Amino acid sequence: MSFDLLIEKIREKNNPTVMGLDPVLDYIPAQIKKRALAEYSDDFKAAGEAIFEFNKGLIDAAAEYIPAVKPQSAFYEMYGIDGLIALEKTIAYAKAAGLYVILDVKRNDIGSTAEAYARAYLGETELFGSSKAATPVDCVTVNPYLGIDGVKPFVDICNERDKGIFILVKTSNKSSGDFQDLTVGDKPLYRHVADKVNEWGSGSISNGYSCCGAVVGATYPSQLAELREALPNTFFLIPGYGAQGGTAKDIACAFDRHRLGAIVNSSRGLMCAYQKAGDDGRNFKACTRDAVIEMRDDINAEIGG
């Protein structure tokens, strides 16, 4: 139940990190784009194929070392149907490589629509006398702003199908405090959201953690420490490491005594490692592999791995 599968994979790889797969064409090595443009006359089709080829290389480079990947849906949606096809193929490729897949979609809506979203991403779609999973991922990100009727459908399917959700609590972006830090009653709004995350997941605890995880940014280490104390049964997804300025020292407080309880995301730092290394892209796999190992070792050194 809940995050058992993710915990198993983190232990197997001794690595509490997730590679974000947020592709834009500027990140993709020139030779991959050149091949795609030579094969496809339609620019969107070429973009979709280039994205998938790049993602395959990233997964091939990292799968031995990381437990999970996190594609961000928006970076595929902006390339239209061909981008969504690339996302579908990326998910299938990552699952075939044995990786846990978190789809970053930040969905929510009123009850009936939230139920449709939950079925689309975590459950099954009723078809012609049968049902099938439309998007076979392990976990999605969820926006809690609409309250329980927008979250309960996701929680119900998590409990039915051993899936997980990460709910936005204290995000890593600079303007997160515009709303999340507002004082409501005697505490900031993000603490009220955290209380609800705790409540919503209270009936699904396994291995110490519920099916309702929380997104808490590495860029706010004091709030991260505060929320870890307040949410001992909540698994954290931590964005903001690396390119956004978060460090391993900043996020060490998020882990429990077993070095579990959190998974740390890096997107650009791993996808674009070849650019940082000054490589022309021909060795992007090796550069990503080296960056994955460096990130793993950096975090494990802080949490006692």
Side-chain angles (χ1 to χ4, degrees):
M1 290 180 65
S2 64
F3 288 102
D4 288 358
L5 180 60
L6 178 57
I7 290 169
E8 176 186 322
K9 291 183 181 296
I10 289 171
R11 283 175 167 155
E12 175 190 339
K13 305 290 177 65
N14 188 32
N15 188 358
T17 71
V18 52
M19 179 168 64
L21 295 175
D22 307 349
V24 296
L25 290 179
D26 286 347
Y27 295 173
I28 299 176
Q31 72 274 14
I32 293 178
K33 291 183 285 190
K34 184 177 179 180
R35 283 197 298 268
L37 283 167
E39 188 170 352
Y40 301 100
S41 58
D42 181 270
D43 285 350
F44 278 111
K45 180 69 173 175
E49 291 299 320
I51 287 167
F52 180 52
E53 184 178 345
F54 184 43
N55 284 351
K56 283 197 300 180
L58 294 169
I59 291 167
D60 289 345
E64 181 181 351
Y65 306 100
I66 60 169
V69 293
K70 183 179 72 66
Q72 162 53 263
S73 182
F75 288 91
Y76 301 85
E77 293 172 26
M78 69 179 180
Y79 296 103
I81 189 64
D82 295 297
L84 291 172
I85 290 169
L87 174 59
E88 180 181 49
K89 293 194 293 187
T90 295
I91 291 167
Y93 196 81
K95 293 296 291 181
L99 297 175
Y100 187 92
V101 179
I102 303 164
L103 183 58
D104 197 350
V105 288
K106 298 182 177 69
R107 293 295 193 257
N108 199 312
D109 212 304
I110 61 171
S112 59
T113 312
E115 183 174 351
Y117 276 138
R119 292 195 178 280
Y121 294 112
L122 296 177
E124 293 188 341
T125 301
E126 296 294 331
L127 296 166
F128 305 100
S130 65
S131 61
K132 292 179 66 176
T135 315
V137 298
D138 301 293
C139 180
V140 295
T141 53
V142 173
N143 189 324
Y145 192 72
L146 278 76
I148 185 57
D149 64 339
V151 176
K152 188 175 184 298
F154 291 92
V155 175
D156 289 344
I157 288 181
C158 283
N159 289 328
E160 290 170 13
R161 298 178 56 80
D162 293 345
K163 304 285 187 175
I165 55 175
F166 284 114
I167 300 170
L168 304 179
V169 175
K170 178 59 182 169
T171 56
S172 62
N173 57 305
K174 291 181 179 179
S175 64
S176 67
D178 287 355
F179 296 115
Q180 295 167 20
D181 292 356
L182 290 177
T183 300
V184 181
D186 61 348
K187 56 190 175 185
L189 180 58
Y190 70 81
R191 284 298 306 272
H192 289 278
V193 177
D195 290 345
K196 286 298 182 183
V197 171
N198 189 53
E199 176 187 325
W200 295 336
S202 61
S204 64
I205 295 174
S206 175
N207 256 329
Y209 292 97
S210 81
C211 69
C212 292
V215 177
V216 185
T219 47
Y220 298 100
S222 62
Q223 286 93 336
L224 180 60
E226 172 194 352
L227 286 164
R228 170 44 72 214
E229 184 175 355
L231 298 171
N233 301 120
T234 301
F235 213 94
F236 287 0
L237 170 62
I238 304 177
Y241 173 92
Q244 287 182 264
T247 67
K249 186 175 182 180
D250 292 332
I251 56 89
C253 62
F255 293 86
D256 65 22
R257 61 189 178 87
H258 303 294
R259 299 183 292 109
L260 296 169
I263 190 161
V264 185
N265 180 76
S266 178
S267 299
R268 282 170 290 170
L270 302 182
M271 297 177 69
C272 301
Y274 76 93
Q275 294 177 347
K276 184 178 179 180
D279 186 79
D280 65 359
R282 298 178 195 279
N283 300 299
F284 80 92
K285 294 182 187 180
C287 293
T288 289
R289 182 177 62 249
D290 291 346
V292 165
I293 293 169
E294 181 180 2
M295 180 180 175
R296 177 199 66 190
D297 293 348
D298 182 39
I299 293 172
N300 280 344
E302 287 292 336
I303 67 174

